[in-house]
Amino acid sequence: MTEKMKKFNFLMLVVAAFCFVGCDTGKKEVSIDADVYHQSMDQLSEVIVHDIFSPPIASRIYAYPSVAMYEILALDNPQYKSLAGQLNELEPIPKPTEEVSYELAALEAFLKLGTTLIFSEDKMDTYKEELYAKLGEGVNSKYFEASVAYGDEVAQHILKWADGDMYKQTRTFPKFTVIDDPARWQPTPPGYFEAIEPHWNQIRPFVLDSANQFTPERPTQFDMDKNSQFYKETMEVYNTGVNLTEEQKEIASFWDCNPYVMNVTGHVMAATKKITPGGHWIGIVKIACKKADADPMKTAQTYALTSVALADGFISCWDEKFRSNLIRPETVINRYIDEEWLPLLQTPPFPEYTSGHSVISNAAATVLTSIYGDNFSFRDDTEEKYGLSVRSFDSFTQASEEAAISRLYGGIHYMPAIANGVTQGRKLGEFVVNKLEFTNESLSKK
């Protein structure tokens, strides 16, 4: 054998030995684009609908996984700042001790937290198993496993943070006591459900200093004298309801977002599950990100900012609902004006003032505008899967204003709850935008 052939054979042995040690590994890239994050958020929304979480709880479920996803990606992107020290009581996440895919770790943290916070864990597990089978094709197994392990580590860090928000404690608090007072909230038909989350103002806010930071003006005082302001506001709801146009009916239905609607026909009762108000705006986040061709980092930023604004919006709104404890239009109209009158939408089970949709929609619209601008037109197909048509908007603000007025068309709110709810939501959204810094320059200054 010639010296040249010996050198060649030796080189082949070195290559073979390298492959024997490292070929288990394959490539060290995991192909994850923004669409994977959108699909995973869609999956979480589907499970939230399936498990029938109330709107406040759903907002909490969206927020923690979104923050975890953002924090991991920001750790690998020096242009973005951590939210640790900005969100209440959030400590910096641990750093990886070995080489990982931050994109995969962010996905894992999102899915791990999402699975922990819902009931139907099998649905999330099945989704992840199928997704990871595709993402892991040809990828270094140790690299893939290390990335997933790091995502789990961060998920545990965020879960520990979540455990301190008083959610678990409020599960043991007493139910809301209905007062025999004509001005106070009473359970409404057809289900006559008890009030949802009367202690939600005890939940630790994400950005707000306190639940009552943006307490709105006092609602109109209950007074059924025909010359009173309250009577006029009640009649406005009644007259709007009996004279609805087809467009108004479509708007009310589009923004209904009631997670559990009871349909009663004679003695037959069936239930319809739908997306929550917060879930609708999470759907709008996806629409905006895709139209703007946002990369994974920008996508995570948008989900994180919107989800914490939604979560704090519910805390602020629920604080007022159970302080003012105002009776719903349906109860007043049936008792004093027309016992046969029914609102177009089913009245949700909690006090009237302020309008939750008005608060959270305007909070979400404010933060989305801070990212994508005032004149961001879009087609909202979020409700299409629930049999509703697509609606088009010239801006997030326009969409939020339509969401707010939809509650009058639906017959479930007086106008002060809507108008003051809009103001409450916008002030809250502006506070979130001005307080949080995602990059070296505050979003509010961009």
Side-chain angles (χ1 to χ4, degrees):
M1 182 181 293
T2 65
E3 189 66 25
K4 187 175 183 180
M5 288 182 65
K6 288 180 180 179
K7 289 182 179 180
F8 177 79
N9 287 340
F10 176 76
L11 180 60
M12 291 299 98
L13 286 171
V14 171
V15 172
F18 175 80
C19 283
F20 179 78
V21 173
C23 276
D24 153 72
T25 60
K27 63 180 182 179
K28 276 199 174 182
E29 293 92 17
V30 183
S31 181
I32 297 179
D33 57 20
D35 280 340
V36 174
Y37 295 139
H38 293 312
Q39 292 163 13
S40 298
M41 185 66 83
D42 285 347
Q43 176 65 21
L44 183 58
S45 284
E46 287 184 15
V47 177
I48 288 173
V49 171
H50 178 273
D51 288 349
I52 320 177
F53 284 106
S54 69
I57 295 178
S59 71
R60 179 178 183 268
I61 296 173
Y62 285 121
Y64 285 112
S66 296
V67 170
M69 179 168 63
Y70 172 83
E71 285 295 286
I72 291 177
L73 292 179
L75 195 62
D76 189 45
N77 192 325
Q79 295 179 354
Y80 284 80
K81 291 186 175 183
S82 168
L83 296 175
Q86 299 192 72
L87 298 181
N88 294 323
E89 300 181 7
L90 175 62
E91 298 292 333
I93 63 172
K95 295 181 180 180
T97 57
E98 54 188 309
E99 186 179 5
V100 298
S101 163
Y102 287 88
E103 291 78 10
L104 177 57
L107 177 63
E108 170 65 17
F110 177 90
L111 293 174
K112 185 74 172 181
L113 281 162
T115 303
T116 303
L117 297 174
I118 48 86
F119 298 141
S120 300
E121 296 181 6
D122 58 315
K123 293 184 179 296
M124 293 296 290
D125 288 339
T126 299
Y127 168 79
K128 185 169 80 169
E129 183 179 344
E130 295 175 352
L131 176 62
Y132 280 15
K134 296 177 182 178
L135 295 177
E137 290 180 355
V139 177
N140 176 316
S141 61
K142 291 183 179 179
Y143 178 66
F144 196 96
E145 291 167 5
S147 302
V148 170
Y150 175 59
D152 287 341
E153 183 182 4
V154 173
Q156 288 302 314
H157 178 89
I158 298 296
L159 186 60
K160 183 178 179 181
W161 173 49
D163 282 344
D165 71 358
M166 287 293 292
Y167 175 76
K168 291 181 179 179
Q169 290 87 335
T170 57
R171 301 309 89 192
T172 66
F173 288 1
K175 296 179 180 179
F176 181 70
T177 301
V178 177
I179 302 173
D180 187 15
D181 181 330
R184 304 308 177 196
W185 178 81
Q186 302 285 328
T188 50
Y192 296 96
F193 296 121
E194 62 188 34
I196 289 176
E197 299 299 335
H199 307 290
W200 201 250
N201 66 344
Q202 299 297 310
I203 301 296
R204 177 190 60 207
F206 285 83
V207 186
L208 299 183
D209 299 329
S210 66
N212 63 3
Q213 186 173 352
F214 292 103
T215 299
E217 296 179 17
R218 298 297 79 218
T220 305
Q221 185 175 356
F222 178 86
D223 184 351
M224 289 312 294
D225 183 284
K226 291 188 177 181
N227 294 316
S228 73
Q229 181 62 27
F230 185 83
Y231 185 84
K232 293 175 183 177
E233 291 165 3
T234 302
M235 289 304 298
E236 181 179 23
V237 179
Y238 177 75
N239 290 326
T240 299
V242 297
N243 295 291
L244 286 171
T245 66
E246 291 304 311
E247 172 73 0
Q248 289 172 334
K249 290 178 183 178
E250 181 179 321
I251 289 172
S253 297
F254 183 79
W255 293 103
D256 183 15
C257 304
N258 189 334
Y260 189 76
V261 176
M262 295 184 66
N263 305 298
V264 181
T265 305
H267 296 290
V268 178
M269 185 178 295
T272 301
K273 298 179 182 181
K274 291 190 290 186
I275 201 167
T276 64
H280 189 132
W281 280 95
I282 288 294
I284 292 175
V285 169
K286 173 185 173 181
I287 293 167
C289 288
K290 290 178 75 69
K291 179 178 178 179
D293 196 23
D295 62 15
M297 185 71 252
K298 191 76 169 181
T299 296
Q301 174 197 14
T302 310
Y303 277 125
L305 181 59
T306 306
S307 66
V308 298
L310 289 169
D312 276 6
F314 276 108
I315 293 171
S316 176
C317 182
W318 254 242
D319 176 63
E320 178 55 41
K321 279 186 179 295
F322 288 93
R323 176 173 34 251
S324 54
N325 190 18
L326 186 61
I327 194 166
R328 287 279 185 171
E330 180 175 13
T331 307
V332 176
I333 292 170
N334 288 164
R335 184 178 294 169
Y336 299 99
I337 299 168
D338 182 352
E339 64 181 13
E340 300 296 326
W341 184 86
L342 289 174
L344 178 67
L345 302 181
Q346 193 170 114
T347 302
F350 35 81
E352 189 270 346
Y353 188 85
T354 49
S355 158
H357 234 325
S358 301
V359 175
I360 67 101
S361 294
N362 281 274
T366 299
V367 299
L368 284 168
T369 299
S370 75
I371 300 175
Y372 297 107
D374 292 318
N375 300 312
F376 191 96
S377 62
F378 62 97
R379 296 176 71 253
D380 186 357
D381 61 357
T382 307
E383 300 286 345
E384 197 169 27
K385 65 174 66 177
Y386 303 103
L388 299 173
S389 59
V390 176
R391 294 190 65 77
S392 296
F393 301 100
D394 294 328
S395 67
F396 301 113
T397 299
Q398 184 188 41
S400 68
E401 290 173 346
E402 184 178 278
I405 198 62
S406 74
R407 314 320 262 173
L408 175 66
Y409 301 156
I412 59 177
H413 279 293
Y414 313 104
M415 272 306 300
I418 295 168
N420 294 336
V422 167
T423 300
Q424 183 181 359
R426 288 181 180 171
K427 286 182 178 179
L428 187 151
E430 289 168 0
F431 179 81
V432 171
V433 169
N434 290 327
K435 186 171 182 180
L436 296 184
E437 290 191 1
F438 284 82
T439 61
N440 289 325
E441 186 176 3
S442 173
L443 286 173
S444 62
K445 298 177 183 177
K446 286 187 175 181

